[in-house]
Amino acid sequence: MMSLLNALPGAVAQGLIWGIMAIGVYITFRVLDIADLTVDGSLCTGGAVCIMLMLGGQNVWVAMLGAVLAGMLTGLSTGLFHTFMGIPAILSGILTQLGLYSINLKIMGKANQAINVDKFDLLVSLRFIKNVPLYKNTIPIVALTIVILILFLYWFFGTELGCSLRATGCNDKMARAQGINTDFNRVLGLMISNGLVALSGALLAQYQGFADINMGRGAIVIGLAAVIIGEAVFGRVFRNFGFRLLGVALGSIIYYLVLQFVIWMGIDTDLLKLLSAVVVAIFLAIPTWKSRYFSKPVKRGGKG
């Protein structure tokens, strides 16, 4: 039991970092109604750019800004594939993700690049979880980052541009009829989403002390799991858009706490991704099951 308790702070920190990525997934999956698979590549892009900029002598803030901009470029690529070239959104994400594998290798020069917390001034690290001052602790730093991001996104999606972006995802035909440029909004939404994913990748690379070419593999499943768990647990409580984003971040923490518990139980770690896929599939199927098997049939017509 003590080993589980000792591992919980690390699970919370990792859940918070992935929570930023989950918010990015929420923007495409729920707001834009697009299944964007770019995230498996853009997460690694964020980590790779951040690490390489820091190794090149840049400070952590410049490196993270570079990571966000690189992530937005990946979203721009997917958006142009989808809107300008007419390729379906899911295939556009796959194409970008495929291309990013080579790009990420070129950015890093090899499959893995490490960074030493003793030699570089990192914002977060797995060594900054226990026995460090509060201002240096990874958990409050990432938590504060999430709060700032949610406040910014809440403000942005309340503007005219943000509302038009939400309208595009809700009903693109009606949005076009109102004179909204839906193609521009899709590209913008994908850029914002992948910028957040890349920011998560930059923090994750610092936290674990390295960027790896495979660090984003399966990221979309983790992101969807966080979204689905957040909606299932907090959906009835968090109705406001900002609180829904918070629920997604909390869903990511729950996911990693459950994962830590599963590991502590001694379940084969090779099965973790299969378990994640099954959990996401079940939660995605619940609305269909409820409407098909558990809802009362609607009587049509008047009384006979």
Side-chain angles (χ1 to χ4, degrees):
M1 181 59 73
M2 284 303 297
S3 61
L4 176 63
L5 293 175
N6 288 331
L8 289 184
V12 171
Q14 210 166 351
L16 283 167
I17 291 171
W18 283 90
I20 297 174
M21 185 275 299
I23 292 173
V25 171
Y26 181 88
I27 291 173
T28 50
F29 186 63
R30 288 300 189 213
V31 178
L32 280 180
D33 195 24
I34 290 175
D36 180 30
L37 299 183
T38 313
V39 298
D40 281 23
S42 58
L43 185 92
C44 179
T45 301
V49 170
C50 179
I51 294 297
M52 295 310 295
L53 283 174
M54 292 192 73
L55 290 175
Q58 299 295 333
N59 66 54
V60 67
W61 301 107
V62 173
M64 288 174 62
L65 177 60
V68 171
L69 293 176
M72 294 181 76
L73 285 175
T74 67
L76 175 63
S77 299
T78 301
L80 292 178
F81 280 145
H82 178 47
T83 58
F84 181 69
M85 300 179 70
I87 301 171
I90 192 165
L91 291 178
S92 299
I94 291 171
L95 287 172
T96 306
Q97 177 199 135
L98 183 66
L100 284 174
Y101 188 89
S102 297
I103 292 171
N104 292 337
L105 276 175
K106 283 295 183 182
I107 291 172
M108 293 190 291
K110 56 183 181 179
N112 185 290
Q113 284 283 2
I115 192 164
N116 193 325
V117 66
D118 295 322
K119 296 180 180 179
F120 292 88
D121 188 18
L122 304 183
L123 185 65
V124 297
S125 172
L126 53 82
R127 285 166 58 179
F128 298 161
I129 298 293
K130 299 175 183 177
N131 304 319
V132 292
L134 190 65
Y135 67 88
K136 202 173 182 180
N137 193 298
T138 294
I139 294 175
I141 288 174
V142 182
L144 180 62
T145 303
I146 288 176
V147 170
I148 293 171
L149 285 174
I150 289 175
L151 289 174
F152 171 77
L153 291 171
Y154 183 75
W155 166 80
F156 172 76
F157 280 102
T159 63
E160 184 177 347
L161 178 59
C163 288
S164 70
L165 201 152
R166 293 167 74 176
T168 298
C170 186
N171 190 327
D172 63 332
K173 292 181 180 177
M174 180 63 73
R176 279 198 301 271
Q178 298 297 321
I180 295 172
N181 188 337
T182 55
D183 285 348
F184 171 80
N185 283 343
R186 285 196 184 92
V187 173
L188 178 62
L190 286 164
M191 290 177 68
I192 294 171
S193 169
N194 284 283
L196 291 172
V197 172
L199 174 61
S200 175
L203 289 170
L204 181 63
Q206 292 179 61
Y207 176 78
Q208 62 191 14
F210 64 90
D212 185 83
I213 192 64
N214 292 315
M215 66 185 286
R217 183 169 292 179
I220 186 64
V221 176
I222 297 174
L224 287 174
V227 171
I228 301 303
I229 292 170
E231 289 179 340
V233 176
F234 305 104
R236 293 183 178 273
V237 181
F238 293 165
R239 301 267 182 194
N240 178 279
F241 179 74
F243 282 112
R244 286 181 180 177
L245 296 178
L246 178 61
V248 170
L250 294 175
S252 178
I253 297 173
I254 293 171
Y255 172 82
Y256 269 93
L257 289 175
V258 171
L259 211 62
Q260 198 63 53
F261 180 75
V262 167
I263 293 171
W264 178 75
M265 289 286 289
I267 295 175
D268 187 358
T269 54
D270 291 343
L271 300 176
L272 290 179
K273 288 193 182 296
L274 174 62
L275 179 66
S276 301
V278 171
V279 168
V280 171
I282 290 172
F283 275 103
L284 287 174
I286 284 174
T288 302
W289 290 345
K290 284 175 66 177
S291 62
R292 187 177 296 173
Y293 303 115
F294 300 104
S295 61
K296 295 180 180 179
V298 179
K299 294 182 179 180
R300 299 183 181 278
K303 294 181 179 179

